[in-house]
Amino acid sequence: MSVLDGKTVAEKIQVELGTEIEKLKGEGGIVPGLTVIMAGDDPASRAYVNSKSKLAEKMGIRSKLVKLPETTTAEEVIQTVEAANSDPLVHAILVQMPLPRHIDHWKILDRILPEKDVDCFHPTNQGLILQNRSRIFPCTPCGVMKILDHYGLDPAGLNAVVAGRSFLVGKPMAAMLSNRNATVTLCHSRTVNLEGILREADLIVAAVGKPAFITAEMVKPGAILIDVGINRIDKEEDFANFCPPSRYEVFKKKGYLLIGDIHFQAFAKAGHYTPVPGGVGPLTVTMLMSNTVELCKRSISVTRDA
Ligand SMILES: NC(=O)c1ccc[n+]([C@@H]2O[C@H](COP(=O)([O-])OP(=O)(O)OC[C@H]3O[C@@H](n4cnc5c(N)ncnc54)[C@H](OP(=O)(O)O)[C@@H]3O)[C@@H](O)[C@H]2O)c1
């Protein structure tokens, strides 16, 4: 059993990215620009957005956070998107999910210019992924592929099971694994015999959003386990069910713990696994920076070619 250390992979990519950002600045004083739009005050979203802004600042990316109130209207969010669409200093736009319930997210995502759509939410970009013609990919599944590649784990020929079919994670993940020649099963809440399907998997990507949902009994010995889920354990009485005793002191100190969708006992059976925290999470935010730089470079080449 070996740990797939997302922090190490993320740091390596950040170093390479730093060189590219310096090059852009040196060549024409170009600074990659990212705008993050957040509506409402969901605590998890706030934490994600803060970590994105912090890393952008560290990397020398110009980042702007537009915060809108929970009561904002779809029209106001669209106006914010349009302002970023037409700002030449903004190369990348991210609308933080989830949006307040009264807003239809498709209405908003459809308005992001595909060439500034940093998390590939726009239907054009999702379509390009399906057709295996995309050069940028949604941050989280892209981070998963970076981890597999870094550790030399080729998905080709593997029986891969993706649990969770959101347009953010599960669906693009399934398409990207298929593009890399894995045989993919995409599971969801209506899947019949999920446990049996998981037991046959050489590679499991868990993106369900339920703490310790995949247990040791559902995992084939030697499987690669990629845990995308992030769940917060606040109650002491839940601790013993979900976390190894070794983390109890951290839990007591912090008052909570973050855990994934895969039960820790399953890791002992795995060939390789990503921990939570320190697995996919650091890659998600790093790929956001990487995609911002890529979109910036593309905008320059489009301007040059025009
Ligand atoms: N590490 C990171 O950087 C990162 C990034 C993004 C998300 N996340 C985390 O990843 C998790 C998933 O995120 P998401 O945005 O994809 O969540 P989501 O939109 O809530 O989707 C959850 C998916 O899980 C499926 N599901 C729910 N219950 C199930 C069950 N009993 N059996 C099988 N499938 C079931 C749902 O099926 P239906 O479609 O049938 O409802 C849905 O497709 C969350 O914990 C989130 O916080 C982490």
Side-chain angles (χ1 to χ4, degrees):
M1 160 198 58
S2 74
V3 180
L4 305 172
D5 177 2
K7 265 193 193 162
T8 303
V9 184
E11 279 163 14
K12 180 175 168 272
I13 295 171
Q14 286 169 24
V15 170
E16 291 161 5
L17 216 48
T19 310
E20 284 191 60
I21 293 168
E22 282 311 310
K23 204 171 149 206
L24 283 167
K25 285 183 186 162
E27 275 176 1
I30 295 156
V31 182
L34 166 70
T35 288
V36 178
I37 300 167
M38 179 179 161
D41 202 25
D42 175 61
S45 295
R46 209 183 326 127
Y48 296 145
V49 159
N50 285 342
S51 73
K52 287 165 186 172
S53 303
K54 244 164 94 180
L55 183 60
E57 194 184 333
K58 181 179 149 199
M59 307 256 2
I61 287 173
R62 183 190 292 114
S63 90
K64 181 177 166 189
L65 171 61
V66 184
K67 275 187 176 173
L68 299 168
E70 180 76 29
T71 51
T72 194
T73 62
E75 286 63 35
E76 281 167 338
V77 185
I78 289 170
Q79 276 170 20
T80 314
V81 168
E82 295 290 6
N85 277 343
S86 54
D87 184 342
L89 296 180
V90 176
H91 306 102
I93 302 170
L94 178 81
V95 176
Q96 182 67 37
M97 294 288 135
L99 287 167
R101 279 172 167 268
H102 61 277
I103 296 178
D104 174 359
H105 59 247
W106 296 122
K107 265 193 182 167
I108 309 297
L109 301 178
D110 285 358
R111 300 298 279 267
I112 302 174
L113 278 180
E115 54 271 29
K116 293 194 178 190
D117 172 29
V118 73
D119 215 356
C120 301
F121 289 156
H122 191 279
T124 299
N125 290 329
Q126 296 236 331
L128 287 171
I129 294 167
L130 275 183
Q131 293 177 353
N132 200 8
R133 294 198 293 150
S134 190
R135 283 198 295 133
I136 75 159
F137 301 94
C139 301
T140 300
C142 186
V144 171
M145 298 309 294
K146 292 284 176 191
I147 292 177
L148 293 175
D149 288 342
H150 176 88
Y151 285 97
L153 299 169
D154 184 358
L158 296 186
N159 183 15
V161 175
V162 180
R165 59 173 166 183
S166 71
F167 72 91
L168 280 126
V169 186
K171 276 185 184 147
M173 184 79 256
M176 288 162 70
L177 286 168
S178 169
N179 291 342
R180 290 281 301 271
N181 300 316
T183 302
V184 184
T185 308
L186 178 59
C187 299
H188 46 79
S189 64
R190 309 285 183 90
T191 296
V192 176
N193 188 25
L194 177 66
E195 297 191 19
I197 294 168
L198 287 168
R199 264 195 291 272
E200 295 295 314
D202 306 310
L203 165 65
I204 294 174
V205 180
V208 172
K210 290 192 157 74
F213 176 73
I214 296 177
T215 60
E217 301 74 54
M218 302 178 197
V219 167
K220 178 163 107 176
I224 302 167
L225 305 181
I226 305 289
D227 198 347
V228 174
I230 303 176
N231 310 285
R232 196 177 147 132
I233 300 300
D234 289 296
K235 292 187 190 155
E236 197 158 354
E237 60 263 35
D238 289 339
F239 185 86
N241 290 333
F242 294 136
C243 310
S246 58
R247 292 183 76 192
Y248 192 59
E249 285 312 312
V250 184
F251 173 77
K252 272 175 74 175
K253 207 166 139 194
K254 280 187 151 182
Y256 72 93
L257 262 191
L258 296 180
I259 68 161
D261 288 350
I262 302 180
H263 196 279
F264 69 90
Q265 284 167 351
F267 297 143
K269 263 175 106 178
H272 310 268
Y273 73 93
T274 58
V276 177
V280 177
L283 266 303
T284 294
V285 64
T286 300
M287 296 327 298
L288 178 65
M289 304 305 137
S290 175
N291 281 355
T292 299
V293 172
E294 176 62 28
L295 293 179
C296 172
K297 288 197 303 195
R298 279 199 209 173
S299 82
I300 300 165
S301 65
V302 169
T303 316
R304 277 192 193 136
D305 294 348

